[in-house]
Amino acid sequence: MRLPDLSFRLIDLLATRAPGDASYAEIESVVWRAQVTRETIKQRVKLLRESLAPLGVPEKAIEAVRNIGYRTTLDIGLVESRAGWSGRRLILAVIATGLMAAAATAIFLLARPASPSAVPTLVIESMPLPAGVDSAGWEGASRMLVRDFSKIAGVRVLDRRPPGNPPSLLARLTLDRDGAGLRLSTELLDGQSSAVLFAESYRYAPASIDRPLTHFANNAYAIITALSLQPGNGGILAQPDAVRADYARAFGLWRRGDRQGLVAARSILERLLAERGAVPVAEALLIRVKADLVLIHAGDIGLARQAWRDADRLVAAHPDIGEFHYSLARALLAVGQRKAALEELRIAQRTMPFLSRDVAAMERADYPDRR
């Protein structure tokens, strides 16, 4: 059974702690290496249970421990074909064997000829250093990200742009002065539209640059998987070039913000979704277009209510994706639900830190006495 990295780290942690409990804090640290919500953990447990179900593992084998975390109660009888092995070791051996087979399959798939549009390309791009900054420690940053992103099966990872069409994705590294020190900015961008899928900023220390790069890659990996690479989820990278071009054009029109641009973006996205069915990132963009027609241009409030319902459904299906929480926040603002919108913005900010300015602006407006 092939498992995504997050699911594998979760079952590995639970099996290591069995029959004891793994706390929420420990799960956050080991599985995500970052702070996440309990709803995110709950969703990952649900996905893990569903992945293990075909092996005959019952849902109750991974159970919640009230106000503490989770534990596994896997029965040795499920894997008793080899005497003398513990249940945990056998389960991990089965998973390891599955991962080895998956790796062999990935090597085969990557080795066989494929058209550029069939294999999504991720390019690591390092921006020029500020004047006077020592390049020691920076030169290996791109190679580290190539290594970390190369674990994503079915994606071609490069350290420079290939000639011809733009890549599917860009992972961009930028070093900027921050007072007396330096800050490392990381961004995951859609290659055609330049839409920011994830961004983070870190204090730069050449001796420990691997830590922020690994953190960035882990978060970006989860988003790429959720948006684009899971079979049948309708992500933008799984779509033909014409669909991605439509999305990029609609995104550019939405960024303009004028009424004519928003109306045109709505028309493009509604046609795209009617032809292609569920494309989550296109649905999220359409929600923001409808919300902004009401927020900025005093459109029909019924349009905002429709956007709110669609955003609620999208967030329920993909609770880990900050962009979808951002779309829900825009829809909530359009229907006058400022408090709920602020909460959704705070959730979105965890993976879209540039939204901190929006959060701060709303907090100042709602709580003018706050210092």
Side-chain angles (χ1 to χ4, degrees):
M1 172 63 65
R2 181 180 180 178
L3 295 174
D5 278 12
L6 292 176
S7 295
F8 179 80
R9 289 202 290 268
L10 178 57
I11 188 62
D12 186 30
L13 172 64
L14 294 176
T16 301
R17 294 290 176 268
D21 309 327
S23 68
Y24 288 115
E26 190 174 23
I27 292 171
E28 285 181 341
S29 175
V30 173
V31 178
W32 279 270
R33 299 171 187 146
Q35 186 176 4
V36 298
T37 65
R38 292 194 178 182
E39 184 59 36
T40 296
I41 297 175
K42 180 180 177 182
Q43 181 69 15
R44 179 53 53 181
V45 170
K46 178 176 180 289
L47 292 173
L48 177 58
R49 286 170 174 157
E50 291 173 353
S51 295
L52 296 179
L55 298 178
V57 178
E59 183 176 330
K60 65 181 180 181
I62 300 172
E63 62 181 13
V65 183
R66 185 177 178 85
N67 296 326
I68 295 176
Y70 286 88
R71 67 184 172 205
T72 183
T73 56
L74 289 166
D75 191 316
I76 189 67
L78 290 172
V79 283
E80 59 184 3
S81 59
R82 294 183 62 181
W85 283 45
S86 69
R88 182 177 72 84
R89 287 180 63 198
L90 277 171
I91 290 164
L92 290 179
V94 169
I95 293 173
T97 303
L99 287 176
M100 289 171 64
T105 302
I107 291 170
F108 167 74
L109 290 174
L110 291 173
R112 69 179 181 177
S115 66
S117 61
V119 180
T121 302
L122 169 64
V123 171
I124 312 299
E125 183 176 72
S126 294
M127 304 305 289
L129 291 174
V133 174
D134 187 354
S135 63
W138 180 252
E139 295 174 347
S142 293
R143 290 194 299 273
M144 290 179 189
L145 271 189
V146 170
R147 175 203 65 198
D148 288 338
F149 278 117
S150 292
K151 66 185 178 180
I152 307 177
V155 176
R156 188 162 155 248
V157 184
L158 305 172
D159 61 0
R160 59 178 57 87
R161 288 177 182 249
N165 294 329
S168 308
L169 293 165
L170 273 175
R172 180 175 293 163
L173 304 177
T174 308
L175 207 56
D176 294 308
R177 296 193 183 277
D178 182 21
L182 295 167
R183 288 200 75 79
L184 168 64
S185 298
T186 56
E187 293 178 303
L188 177 71
L189 309 171
D190 178 80
Q192 287 211 19
S193 67
S194 295
V196 178
L197 302 178
F198 177 75
E200 187 57 277
S201 177
Y202 309 91
R203 183 175 297 174
Y204 176 66
S208 58
I209 191 173
D210 58 313
R211 295 178 64 186
L213 292 179
T214 299
H215 179 267
F216 168 62
N218 285 339
N219 283 283
Y221 171 75
I223 290 171
I224 293 170
T225 302
L227 287 177
S228 309
L229 301 178
Q230 293 287 2
N233 82 339
I236 284 297
L237 296 188
Q239 299 295 331
D241 289 345
V243 175
R244 293 181 60 230
D246 279 346
Y247 175 82
R249 193 162 79 256
F251 185 89
L253 290 166
W254 169 71
R255 288 285 295 270
R256 274 173 36 187
D258 59 274
R259 181 177 178 81
Q260 184 178 359
L262 291 174
V263 170
R266 179 184 176 186
S267 175
I268 292 169
L269 292 167
E270 287 179 340
R271 175 180 55 77
L272 187 157
L273 292 169
E275 293 174 354
R276 295 287 172 177
V279 183
V281 286
E283 293 175 61
L285 181 56
L286 179 59
I287 288 164
R288 296 200 297 275
V289 167
K290 291 178 178 178
D292 285 358
L293 280 168
V294 177
L295 273 172
I296 303 173
H297 302 288
D300 181 7
I301 189 65
L303 196 63
R305 294 194 184 101
Q306 182 187 63
W308 181 12
R309 289 192 297 270
D310 292 342
D312 261 336
R313 174 183 51 77
L314 199 57
V315 167
H318 304 275
D320 295 347
I321 306 301
E323 182 174 351
F324 298 168
H325 287 276
Y326 175 50
S327 294
L328 177 55
R330 298 296 295 175
L332 287 165
L333 280 173
V335 297
Q337 300 287 333
R338 287 183 59 85
K339 184 176 180 181
L342 181 56
E343 289 305 309
E344 292 300 323
L345 271 181
R346 287 171 176 153
I347 295 172
Q349 182 189 357
R350 294 169 189 164
T351 53
M352 304 171 73
F354 50 86
L355 291 177
S356 59
R357 290 169 295 184
D358 301 67
V359 172
M362 285 190 67
E363 288 176 340
R364 284 194 299 270
D366 292 344
Y367 309 102
D369 297 331
R370 178 175 289 180
R371 294 291 183 266

